[in-house]
Amino acid sequence: MSKVADYQIPRSALGWMLLSVLLVMLPQSLHMPFWVTFLTLVCIAWRWLIFTGVAAYPGRLLRIAIVVFTMTLSVSQMRSSGIGLDSAASLLALGFVFKLIEMRHKRDVYVVISLCFIMAMVNFLYSQSVVATIYTAIVIIVITCAMLALNRSHLHPVGRGNLRLATVMALQALPLTIVLFVMFPRIAPLWAVPMQNSSGTTGVSDEMTPGDLAQLGRSSELAFRVQFEDSLAPLHQDLYWRGLVLEDFDGQTWRRTRRGSSYSEAASLNDFRWNWEDRVRLGSQALRYNVIIEPSNQPWLYGLHLAQPLNRELYQSRNFEIFNNGVISKRSSYDLISYRGSATDLILLDSARRRTTNLPGRGNEQSVAFAERLRAGVQSDRDYVYAVLAHFQQNEFYYTLNPALLGEQRVDDFLFNTRQGFCEHYASSFAFLMRAVGIPARVVVGYQGAEYNPYEDYMMVYQYNAHAWNEVWLEGEGWVRFDPTAAVSPERIEQGVEAALADDPAFREQSLFSAARLGSLGWVNALRLRLDAIEYEWNRRVVNYDEDVQSDFLANVLGDVTDQKVLFVLIALAFVATGAIALTVISSEPRSRRSVADSLYYQFGKELDKISLGRQRGETPLRYRDRVCAAKPELAQLVTEATRCYMELNYHTGVRKQDSAGQESTTYGSNTDSLAEFRKVLTQLRFKLLPFGRLRREA
Amino acid sequence: MFSLNLDKRSDDRAELVDNQFSRQVQTAVDEISRALLGKDHQIRLALCCLFSGGHLLVEDLPGMGKTTLSYALAKALGLEYNRIQFTSDLLPADILGISIYDQANAQFTFHPGPIFNQVVLADEINRTTPKTQSALLEAMEERQVTVEGQTRKLPEPFFVIATQNPANLAGTYPLPESQLDRFLMRLRLGYPDQRAERELLEMDTEWDKVENVKQCLGKEEVIGFRRESANVNASGPLLDYVQRLIAFTRSNDEFHFGLSPRGSLALMRAAKTWALMCGRNHVIPEDVQTILPAVVEHRLRAVSDNDGHTGASIVQRMLNEVDILQ
């Protein structure tokens, strides 16, 4: 058996390499099963032991066993959690870390380094935040270090320069990265791993049972960010981010009326594309704004009533809800125009009236009786609405995240017994009281309020801003928004949920790092807003730079975008980049640091070059003067003067004096005077040679 | 008295300043050129070498006037001189001297060899064996001689003017680089030009001409030149230029090896003396360029040159390539 001597990887290279493996695997260990992390550490340790000579490379049998083990594990993981990002990434990670202990030859080392780069990119599948990007950049520098250390020859042994050089190299790659990011066509993948299939849905759901929103109220996760264009944002109490309209009530749960079997199918139905202007009286104030929504794994979106989507993939439902074509599985951006003060459905169709006044046949009799009694006491539907709101306000109702449990007759129990509730209790019972006397009413879920970020001028809406309110149909006014929670706890609407629930222990313990908690610490809050602002800008400008934005941008820059044009620009940029690099390389040679006198003399030679009397390398000033004087006697005086100035400046043609005591001292012509004179002579020479310069240029 | 007057249209020697030093040099050159016709520049270089306190190597074919130059130099400077004809059977003792038993005093008496002179003319130095060569060359470097355990100082000033035939002639032992390096300058005389040769032919025998050379400078003047040249100013830009020249020999692939620090010191020393001989108290690039071939040619060797001693073409390239400006 012929045995090739094993390649001995340099110590520093191995060190850098294991470090990069560790750094690459670190963020992924958050998403991967524990045993993958464990195997990573084992393999790193093993490789180091191989290097130190304590352990041996794995034998053939062990390697086969490892392959079988990996495949079995991966298959079993795919069976349990499906083929998705997690299982694919852990398969890749396993192969990657096992390659480490098999790394015998230089070729293997290069394979591992390439894999390191790929694994660093895999991290982006999980997170594309600023922090993740900076982290990946650092990881790339470390991997480059490993490459550098690997290629250090004996002449350039281990140096501290590795890190610096790697950073410089990474910085050099930056312009190319930017160009490719901006220009390179976003090609749809031929195949795709289903992304993040394991994460659940978040945000407001299309069913509302009292208690649901209270759960959300405890979450300080971000729901979406909003930026208003060229107009002032509405006041806090007007920030009703309308999500879904729930019309069906079965005594416990409010549900959205589903017409198709799923939302995406409904999108394809033609009757969703009705001409909505017919049912709308538009308000005068139009607000344009952009929303960046966090992944919710649900198709509905949020906006201020009455919102008209500006993106193609969005559509509106009958009830002016906004839907995305498909669930929001990644952070997405959309633009809306809201017409505030709009009225909808001035004429209510019979079918809609039936739907929005429907109550289960039995149950909550006490409430029904209360409603009928109250309705009898007032003149109009509107008065009745105010009477109900006044009832909430004047009686002992409490706004809390931790309401008491409700019995079978939920509305009765809430209205007459517990009287403690979160917004959904009020919205639910309010709608019930409306419907009980035949007034069309429905529940709207969404978010209310926002936190303003002054650094980038946008608003942040958190999950704890989740809210439910009502819309009541009034004759001649259409659907009008009423918020019973505002009657119970006005500060919830005016100042936000943080203010309303500041004393509520359930809210405080969940939102440890939220504004409510840290708002009192000025600088912490400022820092939090600042970081969020950076993240927001990053999402807006970088993460959201998709195919559409790219084509818009390129259209702005290049006019009509064709593939040829993009290709042409790419090639041109490649040329420019190569040229720039070449220039840098050329100019990075030690540049001559000419003194003033030298550069003046250099210009002097350049001037005379116009009449083909340029200075030659290695020609001494005196010989040069002689040559020029012989060729152009009329310039003799100027040239002699310039040469004299130059020699005086450079070689200190000083005058040696002997004073009375016999001491010798050398005095040099004061430099500034000589320089001034030199400049003067040079100007005269320029003037004299002006015609020659012009002649040459014309030629 | 030292400054250049460029307005004076002296066509070929603009760097020359008329003062006591340049006049002394001119006198000496005139005197020596009575013996060696048409070789003013070589005579000047030879003077420069001696004024710098360095040893001189004159290399050329036989019959070109090497010995004449040496004799004339010694005579014009009024120094005691002795000539050693190097042959292949010459021994170190023949140069350094020997102790001989004196029967009258019943003890050994040292009989100094010809080296104990202010000027030693080492004729055809490469015709003797390395053993004898090294005896001379040691004396050149140390300026003292150790014979039979006793160290004796050589007179002051002490110059060696060696002549040699080109290395590729028959019956020569080429000097190794280490010993060549000890000569400040190496001169080649070359054939006389037409006018000088005509004059030569019209005159009498060669020997008479050396007889005609009269002493025009003394020991004090020679030492005075040496002392004064130390005060010659070499400015920063000029030193930069010299350093670029030296760096060129070390970095360029055409050179077998670069110039040694001893070589660069010699360059600067000779340049300063040359500046003084031109009557200036500061070195200008012309000085460096003038003395450069004589000072460095024998210290350098082109890569393509296998038998050595022909640095002339690459030194010329060096002068052309290295810019005065940075």
Side-chain angles (χ1 to χ4, degrees), chain A residues 593-594 598 615 617-620 622 625 646 650-651 668, chain B residues 6 233 235 237 285-286 289 320-326:
Chain A
R593 309 171 306 280
R594 289 208 179 101
D598 271 349
R615 209 178 54 84
R617 295 171 75 87
E619 194 174 24
T620 60
L622 288 177
R625 177 198 75 129
Y646 174 64
N650 246 13
Y651 305 115
Y668 299 117
Chain B
L6 291 179
N233 178 43
S235 69
E286 275 81 1
Q289 293 200 346
N320 292 339
E321 290 286 310
V322 180
D323 203 344
I324 308 280
L325 291 189
Q326 224 163 24

PDB file of all heavy atoms in Angstrom, chain A residues 593-594 598 615 617-620 622 625 646 650-651 668, chain B residues 6 233 235 237 285-286 289 320-326:
ATOM      1  N   ARG A 593       8.275  61.032  -3.232  1.00  0.00           N
ATOM      2  CA  ARG A 593       7.855  62.184  -2.454  1.00  0.00           C
ATOM      3  C   ARG A 593       8.780  63.315  -2.856  1.00  0.00           C
ATOM      4  O   ARG A 593       9.844  63.492  -2.291  1.00  0.00           O
ATOM      5  CB  ARG A 593       7.966  61.879  -0.982  1.00  0.00           C
ATOM      6  CG  ARG A 593       7.286  60.580  -0.599  1.00  0.00           C
ATOM      7  CD  ARG A 593       7.603  60.214   0.838  1.00  0.00           C
ATOM      8  NE  ARG A 593       9.035  60.179   1.081  1.00  0.00           N
ATOM      9  CZ  ARG A 593       9.819  59.154   0.746  1.00  0.00           C
ATOM     10  NH1 ARG A 593       9.293  58.100   0.170  1.00  0.00           N
ATOM     11  NH2 ARG A 593      11.109  59.163   0.996  1.00  0.00           N
ATOM     12  N   ARG A 594       8.360  64.039  -3.854  1.00  0.00           N
ATOM     13  CA  ARG A 594       9.228  65.096  -4.359  1.00  0.00           C
ATOM     14  C   ARG A 594       9.176  66.282  -3.433  1.00  0.00           C
ATOM     15  O   ARG A 594       8.120  66.647  -2.927  1.00  0.00           O
ATOM     16  CB  ARG A 594       8.771  65.524  -5.749  1.00  0.00           C
ATOM     17  CG  ARG A 594       9.041  64.489  -6.794  1.00  0.00           C
ATOM     18  CD  ARG A 594       9.234  65.161  -8.145  1.00  0.00           C
ATOM     19  NE  ARG A 594       9.510  64.146  -9.143  1.00  0.00           N
ATOM     20  CZ  ARG A 594       8.567  63.706  -9.992  1.00  0.00           C
ATOM     21  NH1 ARG A 594       7.373  64.214  -9.957  1.00  0.00           N
ATOM     22  NH2 ARG A 594       8.869  62.769 -10.855  1.00  0.00           N
ATOM     23  N   ASP A 598      12.142  69.948  -6.176  1.00  0.00           N
ATOM     24  CA  ASP A 598      12.169  68.876  -7.165  1.00  0.00           C
ATOM     25  C   ASP A 598      10.966  68.937  -8.076  1.00  0.00           C
ATOM     26  O   ASP A 598      11.069  68.765  -9.288  1.00  0.00           O
ATOM     27  CB  ASP A 598      12.222  67.512  -6.458  1.00  0.00           C
ATOM     28  CG  ASP A 598      13.656  67.088  -6.191  1.00  0.00           C
ATOM     29  OD1 ASP A 598      14.555  67.741  -6.734  1.00  0.00           O
ATOM     30  OD2 ASP A 598      13.854  66.115  -5.445  1.00  0.00           O
ATOM     31  N   ARG A 615      13.719  66.881 -20.112  1.00  0.00           N
ATOM     32  CA  ARG A 615      14.836  66.422 -19.308  1.00  0.00           C
ATOM     33  C   ARG A 615      14.949  64.902 -19.445  1.00  0.00           C
ATOM     34  O   ARG A 615      13.959  64.203 -19.546  1.00  0.00           O
ATOM     35  CB  ARG A 615      14.554  66.751 -17.845  1.00  0.00           C
ATOM     36  CG  ARG A 615      15.748  66.984 -16.979  1.00  0.00           C
ATOM     37  CD  ARG A 615      15.256  67.338 -15.592  1.00  0.00           C
ATOM     38  NE  ARG A 615      14.335  66.304 -15.119  1.00  0.00           N
ATOM     39  CZ  ARG A 615      14.733  65.169 -14.540  1.00  0.00           C
ATOM     40  NH1 ARG A 615      16.013  64.938 -14.347  1.00  0.00           N
ATOM     41  NH2 ARG A 615      13.841  64.279 -14.148  1.00  0.00           N
ATOM     42  N   ARG A 617      16.362  61.184 -17.970  1.00  0.00           N
ATOM     43  CA  ARG A 617      16.740  60.565 -16.692  1.00  0.00           C
ATOM     44  C   ARG A 617      18.250  60.587 -16.580  1.00  0.00           C
ATOM     45  O   ARG A 617      18.963  60.347 -17.537  1.00  0.00           O
ATOM     46  CB  ARG A 617      16.287  59.110 -16.656  1.00  0.00           C
ATOM     47  CG  ARG A 617      14.810  58.928 -16.677  1.00  0.00           C
ATOM     48  CD  ARG A 617      14.507  57.464 -16.866  1.00  0.00           C
ATOM     49  NE  ARG A 617      14.744  56.720 -15.630  1.00  0.00           N
ATOM     50  CZ  ARG A 617      13.835  56.575 -14.698  1.00  0.00           C
ATOM     51  NH1 ARG A 617      12.660  57.112 -14.852  1.00  0.00           N
ATOM     52  NH2 ARG A 617      14.089  55.889 -13.612  1.00  0.00           N
ATOM     53  N   GLY A 618      18.732  60.853 -15.415  1.00  0.00           N
ATOM     54  CA  GLY A 618      20.172  60.785 -15.204  1.00  0.00           C
ATOM     55  C   GLY A 618      20.929  61.956 -15.771  1.00  0.00           C
ATOM     56  O   GLY A 618      22.151  61.977 -15.748  1.00  0.00           O
ATOM     57  N   GLU A 619      20.194  62.930 -16.320  1.00  0.00           N
ATOM     58  CA  GLU A 619      20.897  64.096 -16.844  1.00  0.00           C
ATOM     59  C   GLU A 619      21.051  65.126 -15.724  1.00  0.00           C
ATOM     60  O   GLU A 619      20.072  65.487 -15.078  1.00  0.00           O
ATOM     61  CB  GLU A 619      20.113  64.703 -18.013  1.00  0.00           C
ATOM     62  CG  GLU A 619      20.916  65.692 -18.800  1.00  0.00           C
ATOM     63  CD  GLU A 619      20.149  66.149 -20.030  1.00  0.00           C
ATOM     64  OE1 GLU A 619      18.915  66.074 -20.030  1.00  0.00           O
ATOM     65  OE2 GLU A 619      20.787  66.587 -20.994  1.00  0.00           O
ATOM     66  N   THR A 620      22.261  65.570 -15.503  1.00  0.00           N
ATOM     67  CA  THR A 620      22.457  66.500 -14.397  1.00  0.00           C
ATOM     68  C   THR A 620      21.979  67.882 -14.805  1.00  0.00           C
ATOM     69  O   THR A 620      21.912  68.203 -15.995  1.00  0.00           O
ATOM     70  CB  THR A 620      23.948  66.577 -14.024  1.00  0.00           C
ATOM     71  OG1 THR A 620      24.656  67.038 -15.167  1.00  0.00           O
ATOM     72  CG2 THR A 620      24.473  65.221 -13.638  1.00  0.00           C
ATOM     73  N   LEU A 622      23.268  70.801 -14.777  1.00  0.00           N
ATOM     74  CA  LEU A 622      24.159  71.646 -15.589  1.00  0.00           C
ATOM     75  C   LEU A 622      24.209  71.166 -17.027  1.00  0.00           C
ATOM     76  O   LEU A 622      24.159  71.958 -17.964  1.00  0.00           O
ATOM     77  CB  LEU A 622      25.569  71.652 -14.989  1.00  0.00           C
ATOM     78  CG  LEU A 622      25.697  72.433 -13.684  1.00  0.00           C
ATOM     79  CD1 LEU A 622      27.104  72.311 -13.135  1.00  0.00           C
ATOM     80  CD2 LEU A 622      25.356  73.896 -13.924  1.00  0.00           C
ATOM     81  N   ARG A 625      21.080  72.123 -18.710  1.00  0.00           N
ATOM     82  CA  ARG A 625      21.085  73.538 -19.075  1.00  0.00           C
ATOM     83  C   ARG A 625      21.930  73.761 -20.334  1.00  0.00           C
ATOM     84  O   ARG A 625      21.521  74.432 -21.275  1.00  0.00           O
ATOM     85  CB  ARG A 625      21.657  74.372 -17.942  1.00  0.00           C
ATOM     86  CG  ARG A 625      21.744  75.845 -18.298  1.00  0.00           C
ATOM     87  CD  ARG A 625      22.692  76.554 -17.383  1.00  0.00           C
ATOM     88  NE  ARG A 625      24.080  76.238 -17.717  1.00  0.00           N
ATOM     89  CZ  ARG A 625      25.019  77.152 -17.910  1.00  0.00           C
ATOM     90  NH1 ARG A 625      24.717  78.429 -17.796  1.00  0.00           N
ATOM     91  NH2 ARG A 625      26.243  76.810 -18.183  1.00  0.00           N
ATOM     92  N   TYR A 646      17.386  76.064  -8.787  1.00  0.00           N
ATOM     93  CA  TYR A 646      17.215  74.666  -8.393  1.00  0.00           C
ATOM     94  C   TYR A 646      18.450  74.155  -7.675  1.00  0.00           C
ATOM     95  O   TYR A 646      18.367  73.527  -6.610  1.00  0.00           O
ATOM     96  CB  TYR A 646      16.930  73.806  -9.620  1.00  0.00           C
ATOM     97  CG  TYR A 646      16.889  72.331  -9.305  1.00  0.00           C
ATOM     98  CD1 TYR A 646      15.911  71.824  -8.454  1.00  0.00           C
ATOM     99  CD2 TYR A 646      17.824  71.456  -9.823  1.00  0.00           C
ATOM    100  CE1 TYR A 646      15.872  70.483  -8.144  1.00  0.00           C
ATOM    101  CE2 TYR A 646      17.794  70.118  -9.518  1.00  0.00           C
ATOM    102  CZ  TYR A 646      16.807  69.638  -8.677  1.00  0.00           C
ATOM    103  OH  TYR A 646      16.770  68.315  -8.357  1.00  0.00           O
ATOM    104  N   ASN A 650      18.672  72.811  -3.927  1.00  0.00           N
ATOM    105  CA  ASN A 650      18.889  71.394  -3.701  1.00  0.00           C
ATOM    106  C   ASN A 650      20.277  71.068  -3.175  1.00  0.00           C
ATOM    107  O   ASN A 650      20.444  70.203  -2.350  1.00  0.00           O
ATOM    108  CB  ASN A 650      18.657  70.632  -5.008  1.00  0.00           C
ATOM    109  CG  ASN A 650      17.468  69.724  -4.901  1.00  0.00           C
ATOM    110  OD1 ASN A 650      16.699  69.854  -3.960  1.00  0.00           O
ATOM    111  ND2 ASN A 650      17.327  68.830  -5.839  1.00  0.00           N
ATOM    112  N   TYR A 651      21.270  71.730  -3.717  1.00  0.00           N
ATOM    113  CA  TYR A 651      22.628  71.329  -3.369  1.00  0.00           C
ATOM    114  C   TYR A 651      23.343  72.377  -2.532  1.00  0.00           C
ATOM    115  O   TYR A 651      24.548  72.325  -2.368  1.00  0.00           O
ATOM    116  CB  TYR A 651      23.406  71.003  -4.647  1.00  0.00           C
ATOM    117  CG  TYR A 651      22.693  69.973  -5.470  1.00  0.00           C
ATOM    118  CD1 TYR A 651      22.185  70.267  -6.720  1.00  0.00           C
ATOM    119  CD2 TYR A 651      22.474  68.698  -4.941  1.00  0.00           C
ATOM    120  CE1 TYR A 651      21.490  69.323  -7.438  1.00  0.00           C
ATOM    121  CE2 TYR A 651      21.773  67.747  -5.657  1.00  0.00           C
ATOM    122  CZ  TYR A 651      21.298  68.070  -6.910  1.00  0.00           C
ATOM    123  OH  TYR A 651      20.603  67.130  -7.620  1.00  0.00           O
ATOM    124  N   TYR A 668      23.548  79.864   3.414  1.00  0.00           N
ATOM    125  CA  TYR A 668      22.816  79.397   2.232  1.00  0.00           C
ATOM    126  C   TYR A 668      21.799  80.431   1.829  1.00  0.00           C
ATOM    127  O   TYR A 668      21.224  81.105   2.682  1.00  0.00           O
ATOM    128  CB  TYR A 668      22.117  78.073   2.545  1.00  0.00           C
ATOM    129  CG  TYR A 668      23.074  76.982   2.921  1.00  0.00           C
ATOM    130  CD1 TYR A 668      23.044  76.398   4.176  1.00  0.00           C
ATOM    131  CD2 TYR A 668      24.029  76.550   2.007  1.00  0.00           C
ATOM    132  CE1 TYR A 668      23.929  75.412   4.522  1.00  0.00           C
ATOM    133  CE2 TYR A 668      24.910  75.559   2.348  1.00  0.00           C
ATOM    134  CZ  TYR A 668      24.872  74.987   3.600  1.00  0.00           C
ATOM    135  OH  TYR A 668      25.745  74.005   3.934  1.00  0.00           O
TER     136      TYR A 668
ATOM    137  N   LEU B   6      27.024  80.666 -13.097  1.00  0.00           N
ATOM    138  CA  LEU B   6      26.506  80.034 -14.304  1.00  0.00           C
ATOM    139  C   LEU B   6      26.415  80.997 -15.472  1.00  0.00           C
ATOM    140  O   LEU B   6      26.261  80.580 -16.608  1.00  0.00           O
ATOM    141  CB  LEU B   6      25.138  79.427 -14.023  1.00  0.00           C
ATOM    142  CG  LEU B   6      25.156  78.226 -13.088  1.00  0.00           C
ATOM    143  CD1 LEU B   6      23.754  77.727 -12.874  1.00  0.00           C
ATOM    144  CD2 LEU B   6      26.020  77.135 -13.647  1.00  0.00           C
ATOM    145  N   ASN B 233      30.229  70.012   1.577  1.00  0.00           N
ATOM    146  CA  ASN B 233      28.855  69.716   1.987  1.00  0.00           C
ATOM    147  C   ASN B 233      28.153  68.850   0.945  1.00  0.00           C
ATOM    148  O   ASN B 233      28.192  69.147  -0.241  1.00  0.00           O
ATOM    149  CB  ASN B 233      28.103  71.035   2.163  1.00  0.00           C
ATOM    150  CG  ASN B 233      26.672  70.814   2.526  1.00  0.00           C
ATOM    151  OD1 ASN B 233      26.380  69.962   3.345  1.00  0.00           O
ATOM    152  ND2 ASN B 233      25.790  71.564   1.897  1.00  0.00           N
ATOM    153  N   SER B 235      24.411  67.747   0.226  1.00  0.00           N
ATOM    154  CA  SER B 235      23.058  68.065   0.684  1.00  0.00           C
ATOM    155  C   SER B 235      22.177  66.812   0.685  1.00  0.00           C
ATOM    156  O   SER B 235      22.534  65.775   0.113  1.00  0.00           O
ATOM    157  CB  SER B 235      22.444  69.111  -0.236  1.00  0.00           C
ATOM    158  OG  SER B 235      22.215  68.526  -1.492  1.00  0.00           O
ATOM    159  N   PRO B 237      19.240  66.151  -0.870  1.00  0.00           N
ATOM    160  CA  PRO B 237      18.843  65.644  -2.192  1.00  0.00           C
ATOM    161  C   PRO B 237      19.978  64.913  -2.893  1.00  0.00           C
ATOM    162  O   PRO B 237      19.751  63.920  -3.587  1.00  0.00           O
ATOM    163  CB  PRO B 237      18.452  66.905  -2.956  1.00  0.00           C
ATOM    164  CG  PRO B 237      18.081  67.880  -1.916  1.00  0.00           C
ATOM    165  CD  PRO B 237      18.914  67.571  -0.720  1.00  0.00           C
ATOM    166  N   PRO B 285      25.417  66.772  -8.552  1.00  0.00           N
ATOM    167  CA  PRO B 285      25.324  65.479  -9.224  1.00  0.00           C
ATOM    168  C   PRO B 285      26.421  65.255 -10.251  1.00  0.00           C
ATOM    169  O   PRO B 285      26.840  64.120 -10.466  1.00  0.00           O
ATOM    170  CB  PRO B 285      23.948  65.521  -9.872  1.00  0.00           C
ATOM    171  CG  PRO B 285      23.177  66.457  -9.055  1.00  0.00           C
ATOM    172  CD  PRO B 285      24.123  67.473  -8.541  1.00  0.00           C
ATOM    173  N   GLU B 286      26.892  66.333 -10.891  1.00  0.00           N
ATOM    174  CA  GLU B 286      27.955  66.182 -11.870  1.00  0.00           C
ATOM    175  C   GLU B 286      29.172  65.490 -11.259  1.00  0.00           C
ATOM    176  O   GLU B 286      29.794  64.634 -11.895  1.00  0.00           O
ATOM    177  CB  GLU B 286      28.398  67.551 -12.404  1.00  0.00           C
ATOM    178  CG  GLU B 286      27.571  68.070 -13.547  1.00  0.00           C
ATOM    179  CD  GLU B 286      26.293  68.718 -13.062  1.00  0.00           C
ATOM    180  OE1 GLU B 286      26.075  68.781 -11.845  1.00  0.00           O
ATOM    181  OE2 GLU B 286      25.510  69.159 -13.910  1.00  0.00           O
ATOM    182  N   GLN B 289      28.532  61.844 -10.916  1.00  0.00           N
ATOM    183  CA  GLN B 289      28.527  61.162 -12.202  1.00  0.00           C
ATOM    184  C   GLN B 289      29.925  61.047 -12.796  1.00  0.00           C
ATOM    185  O   GLN B 289      30.240  60.079 -13.477  1.00  0.00           O
ATOM    186  CB  GLN B 289      27.606  61.906 -13.177  1.00  0.00           C
ATOM    187  CG  GLN B 289      26.152  61.833 -12.756  1.00  0.00           C
ATOM    188  CD  GLN B 289      25.216  62.111 -13.892  1.00  0.00           C
ATOM    189  OE1 GLN B 289      25.628  62.599 -14.936  1.00  0.00           O
ATOM    190  NE2 GLN B 289      23.950  61.780 -13.696  1.00  0.00           N
ATOM    191  N   ASN B 320      22.405  56.408 -16.707  1.00  0.00           N
ATOM    192  CA  ASN B 320      21.289  56.846 -17.546  1.00  0.00           C
ATOM    193  C   ASN B 320      19.940  56.569 -16.901  1.00  0.00           C
ATOM    194  O   ASN B 320      18.984  57.298 -17.114  1.00  0.00           O
ATOM    195  CB  ASN B 320      21.349  56.137 -18.903  1.00  0.00           C
ATOM    196  CG  ASN B 320      22.538  56.587 -19.713  1.00  0.00           C
ATOM    197  OD1 ASN B 320      23.090  57.654 -19.467  1.00  0.00           O
ATOM    198  ND2 ASN B 320      22.952  55.765 -20.668  1.00  0.00           N
ATOM    199  N   GLU B 321      19.873  55.474 -16.135  1.00  0.00           N
ATOM    200  CA  GLU B 321      18.573  55.044 -15.616  1.00  0.00           C
ATOM    201  C   GLU B 321      18.166  55.775 -14.350  1.00  0.00           C
ATOM    202  O   GLU B 321      16.999  56.050 -14.144  1.00  0.00           O
ATOM    203  CB  GLU B 321      18.607  53.537 -15.322  1.00  0.00           C
ATOM    204  CG  GLU B 321      18.675  52.654 -16.535  1.00  0.00           C
ATOM    205  CD  GLU B 321      17.351  52.601 -17.272  1.00  0.00           C
ATOM    206  OE1 GLU B 321      16.327  52.358 -16.614  1.00  0.00           O
ATOM    207  OE2 GLU B 321      17.346  52.818 -18.491  1.00  0.00           O
ATOM    208  N   VAL B 322      19.128  56.023 -13.481  1.00  0.00           N
ATOM    209  CA  VAL B 322      18.772  56.610 -12.191  1.00  0.00           C
ATOM    210  C   VAL B 322      18.578  58.103 -12.362  1.00  0.00           C
ATOM    211  O   VAL B 322      19.477  58.805 -12.830  1.00  0.00           O
ATOM    212  CB  VAL B 322      19.863  56.314 -11.149  1.00  0.00           C
ATOM    213  CG1 VAL B 322      19.492  56.931  -9.820  1.00  0.00           C
ATOM    214  CG2 VAL B 322      20.045  54.828 -11.007  1.00  0.00           C
ATOM    215  N   ASP B 323      17.379  58.536 -11.982  1.00  0.00           N
ATOM    216  CA  ASP B 323      17.034  59.931 -12.208  1.00  0.00           C
ATOM    217  C   ASP B 323      17.627  60.821 -11.114  1.00  0.00           C
ATOM    218  O   ASP B 323      17.749  60.409  -9.970  1.00  0.00           O
ATOM    219  CB  ASP B 323      15.514  60.087 -12.243  1.00  0.00           C
ATOM    220  CG  ASP B 323      15.106  61.326 -13.003  1.00  0.00           C
ATOM    221  OD1 ASP B 323      15.985  62.191 -13.213  1.00  0.00           O
ATOM    222  OD2 ASP B 323      13.933  61.421 -13.382  1.00  0.00           O
ATOM    223  N   ILE B 324      17.983  62.036 -11.515  1.00  0.00           N
ATOM    224  CA  ILE B 324      18.458  63.005 -10.530  1.00  0.00           C
ATOM    225  C   ILE B 324      17.324  63.367  -9.585  1.00  0.00           C
ATOM    226  O   ILE B 324      17.501  63.529  -8.388  1.00  0.00           O
ATOM    227  CB  ILE B 324      18.935  64.292 -11.237  1.00  0.00           C
ATOM    228  CG1 ILE B 324      19.921  63.957 -12.339  1.00  0.00           C
ATOM    229  CG2 ILE B 324      19.479  65.291 -10.249  1.00  0.00           C
ATOM    230  CD1 ILE B 324      21.289  63.689 -11.871  1.00  0.00           C
ATOM    231  N   LEU B 325      16.118  63.484 -10.168  1.00  0.00           N
ATOM    232  CA  LEU B 325      14.940  63.814  -9.362  1.00  0.00           C
ATOM    233  C   LEU B 325      14.408  62.537  -8.743  1.00  0.00           C
ATOM    234  O   LEU B 325      14.619  61.454  -9.267  1.00  0.00           O
ATOM    235  CB  LEU B 325      13.838  64.413 -10.232  1.00  0.00           C
ATOM    236  CG  LEU B 325      14.093  65.788 -10.800  1.00  0.00           C
ATOM    237  CD1 LEU B 325      12.821  66.297 -11.436  1.00  0.00           C
ATOM    238  CD2 LEU B 325      14.529  66.732  -9.714  1.00  0.00           C
ATOM    239  N   GLN B 326      13.686  62.746  -7.644  1.00  0.00           N
ATOM    240  CA  GLN B 326      13.115  61.575  -7.015  1.00  0.00           C
ATOM    241  C   GLN B 326      11.917  61.095  -7.802  1.00  0.00           C
ATOM    242  O   GLN B 326      11.176  61.880  -8.338  1.00  0.00           O
ATOM    243  CB  GLN B 326      12.666  61.933  -5.603  1.00  0.00           C
ATOM    244  CG  GLN B 326      13.068  60.865  -4.636  1.00  0.00           C
ATOM    245  CD  GLN B 326      13.016  61.396  -3.236  1.00  0.00           C
ATOM    246  OE1 GLN B 326      12.304  62.330  -2.962  1.00  0.00           O
ATOM    247  NE2 GLN B 326      13.806  60.811  -2.374  1.00  0.00           N
TER     248      GLN B 326
END
